[in-house]
Amino acid sequence: MQVSSLPDFQPISATELAAWAKPFCMAQTLSRVLSELLGCKEFHNQGDPGTSVLPGHVSSTVSSVLLVGPPGCGKSGLLFSAALVAAEEGAGPVIFISRESLQRLPGGGREAREPLLLKRIRFLYPSSLRELLHLVSSMHLSFPAPSLIVVDGLERYLAPTCGSADGALISGLLLDSAAHFKCGLLISAAQPLEMGGDGAFLAVERYFPAQCHIYGEVTTEQEEGTFHISFPSHFPPCVLHTAKDGTLKISLPKASFS
Amino acid sequence: MDAILPTVAEELLREIKRNYQETSQITDELLLGLKFIFGPTALYALDLVDQRSVSHVTSPSGRSTFQVVGSSGKMYTCFASCHYCSCPAFSFSVLRKNDNMLCKHILAIYLSQAMGLCQELTVTDKQMCDILFPKED
């Protein structure tokens, strides 16, 4: 979280920090989504420190997370699950931004339990980077304060001709809007195949120090749709199974049970 | 982005603020410190502060941002919550080449804030949109 915003150089007290972190802690929300998929209902940091896999001090202040993974690995599903968590528990609506509409609602059960939750999610589909920038720069006009802003597939807005200035502008605007609303920010992106040129994606990565990576292993004979999740200091390494129908399942690698 | 300044820079800015509040000037020692941490950018930024180039812009929604008039007279937008400036030097030497931590406009904001030399400006919420994302065609 960008706590030390420009106007102030005062050291931040623990209570202030807690107040900042309170609205919506993205790292924790994402960790919860992951743990629910894993099958544990409660996976909170505050608990017996002996049993917690997470270092409790880290995640409580991170309000923006970048989820990076290859196409088709289930990023949209994870984001949608996080949106449902925020819609259920957050103070305001959730803004879900994507280039195209979701083909289907990824399974997970939460939306079946409470269909009204979907009404608390505003789906917006800007069709170009310019439209997206326009939308984000005018968020303070039209919305009641959201509890979470989600951007699914940011790379689809960054054409190969985009430079680092474009990547920085959209990242900065998103962070600035989230800071204005004191809400969470969750972004997913697929890494571009070629990292050359002016590096819009590199610029984006700079703005989001908290990153959750999903990657497939090419060398092993793993079944299709199996990926690894790496979310250092927020969640233990685990394996993500993405079924063809979009259903997500997570398991811990065997080694970590010992 | 590592929007949070290194501790040493934050400490220095705090020292400048204290010093300036008490004496309305900045000691040579602190100026040297600025030069040491920020290099040539420090001098250009102080120049901008002298020209009173930094405005803190607020709109009724509570959204706020900074505008800095560059040395060429061009207006640049810098965000209040993270390090971003619309100037070419920011894209080039901060983002691409990683030579500098900040551009002179962002440093000028830090300094103007510390010295209480920011112009306060109020705009409408609509005008704020255009400042955050200027639509030049």
Side-chain angles (χ1 to χ4, degrees):
Chain A
M1 179 162 195
Q2 324 297 341
V3 190
S4 74
S5 53
L6 292 178
D8 213 334
F9 305 113
Q10 303 305 318
I12 297 144
S13 73
T15 32
E16 275 175 312
L17 202 62
W20 269 91
K22 214 170 115 193
F24 238 89
C25 164
M26 249 15 271
Q28 216 166 29
T29 307
L30 190 58
S31 300
R32 272 193 44 201
V33 168
L34 296 178
S35 58
E36 280 185 18
L37 290 170
L38 187 62
C40 356
K41 281 276 167 280
E42 295 299 321
F43 198 85
H44 289 299
N45 291 357
Q46 63 269 28
D48 184 357
T51 56
S52 176
V53 219
L54 312 175
H57 60 281
V58 204
S59 54
S60 59
T61 55
V62 178
S63 67
S64 59
V65 173
L66 176 65
L67 180 65
V68 185
C73 72
K75 296 191 296 296
S76 303
L78 289 174
L79 255 53
F80 184 68
S81 304
L84 286 170
V85 171
E88 188 169 34
E89 297 169 14
V94 174
I95 298 176
F96 197 105
I97 300 171
S98 165
R99 183 96 186 243
E100 295 102 28
S101 60
L102 288 173
Q103 292 305 304
R104 62 180 158 258
L105 297 179
R110 202 179 276 260
E111 74 274 16
R113 286 206 304 273
E114 186 54 273
L116 284 176
L117 278 184
L118 280 178
K119 293 198 171 147
R120 289 170 58 84
I121 305 179
R122 285 164 194 269
F123 294 92
L124 297 168
Y125 307 110
S127 64
S128 64
L129 179 62
R130 205 183 153 75
E131 266 184 47
L132 176 65
L133 288 167
H134 186 78
L135 170 76
V136 180
S137 63
S138 49
M139 266 183 181
H140 58 278
L141 286 183
S142 42
F143 296 111
S147 60
L148 170 65
I149 301 170
V150 178
V151 182
D152 187 25
L154 184 64
E155 85 283 353
R156 275 175 282 178
Y157 290 100
L158 298 169
T161 48
C162 284
S164 52
D166 299 300
L169 177 59
I170 187 57
S171 307
L173 265 180
L174 281 165
L175 282 169
D176 199 62
S177 298
H180 168 67
F181 292 123
K182 299 189 176 64
C183 74
L185 177 62
L186 189 52
I187 293 174
S188 80
Q191 218 143 18
L193 293 173
E194 284 171 52
M195 286 288 257
D198 208 4
F201 189 76
L202 289 177
V204 170
E205 283 193 300
R206 285 177 66 129
Y207 280 82
F208 299 96
Q211 296 179 7
C212 176
H213 283 263
I214 302 178
Y215 52 94
E217 222 160 282
V218 199
T219 47
T220 58
E221 301 166 355
Q222 275 175 338
E223 49 189 306
E224 219 184 314
T226 303
F227 300 92
H228 294 262
I229 297 183
S230 158
F231 195 14
S233 74
H234 297 297
F235 203 80
C238 53
V239 181
L240 173 69
H241 310 272
T242 309
K244 285 223 162 61
D245 65 355
T247 313
L248 301 175
K249 226 172 62 194
I250 285 178
S251 59
L252 290 170
K254 290 193 179 67
S256 66
F257 283 119
S258 58
Chain B
M1 176 141 172
D2 325 311
I4 295 155
L5 283 176
T7 319
V8 58
E10 254 180 67
E11 188 55 47
L12 181 68
L13 286 163
R14 218 170 289 143
E15 201 57 48
I16 287 174
K17 182 175 183 176
R18 202 171 309 140
N19 188 236
Y20 194 81
Q21 272 170 356
E22 283 163 14
T23 65
S24 292
Q25 52 189 343
I26 303 174
T27 63
D28 288 353
E29 206 179 310
L30 290 173
L31 287 175
L32 275 175
L34 270 180
K35 185 98 198 298
F36 184 74
I37 294 175
F38 296 103
T41 311
L43 197 65
Y44 299 127
L46 284 165
D47 215 31
L48 291 172
V49 177
D50 276 341
Q51 314 276 331
R52 305 289 186 269
S53 305
V54 177
S55 305
H56 179 233
V57 189
T58 319
S59 79
S61 64
R63 188 125 192 193
S64 78
T65 192
F66 290 90
Q67 281 193 308
V68 184
V69 185
S71 45
S72 64
K74 198 169 175 338
M75 186 85 90
Y76 298 110
T77 299
C78 303
F79 297 150
S81 58
C82 56
H83 287 169
Y84 171 82
C85 179
S86 55
C87 79
F90 183 79
S91 324
F92 189 71
S93 74
V94 178
L95 292 176
R96 276 185 71 185
K97 295 192 71 189
N98 237 339
D99 286 343
N100 287 312
M101 188 171 19
L102 309 167
C103 67
K104 62 181 176 181
H105 308 108
I106 297 178
L107 184 55
I109 292 173
Y110 276 117
L111 290 168
S112 299
Q113 288 275 306
M115 294 154 75
L117 295 175
C118 266
Q119 324 270 348
E120 290 293 332
L121 210 72
T122 311
V123 298
T124 66
D125 285 330
K126 267 240 152 12
Q127 285 169 322
M128 180 58 87
C129 303
D130 292 332
I131 293 172
L132 292 169
F133 173 46
K135 291 147 202 80
E136 53 210 42
D137 289 290

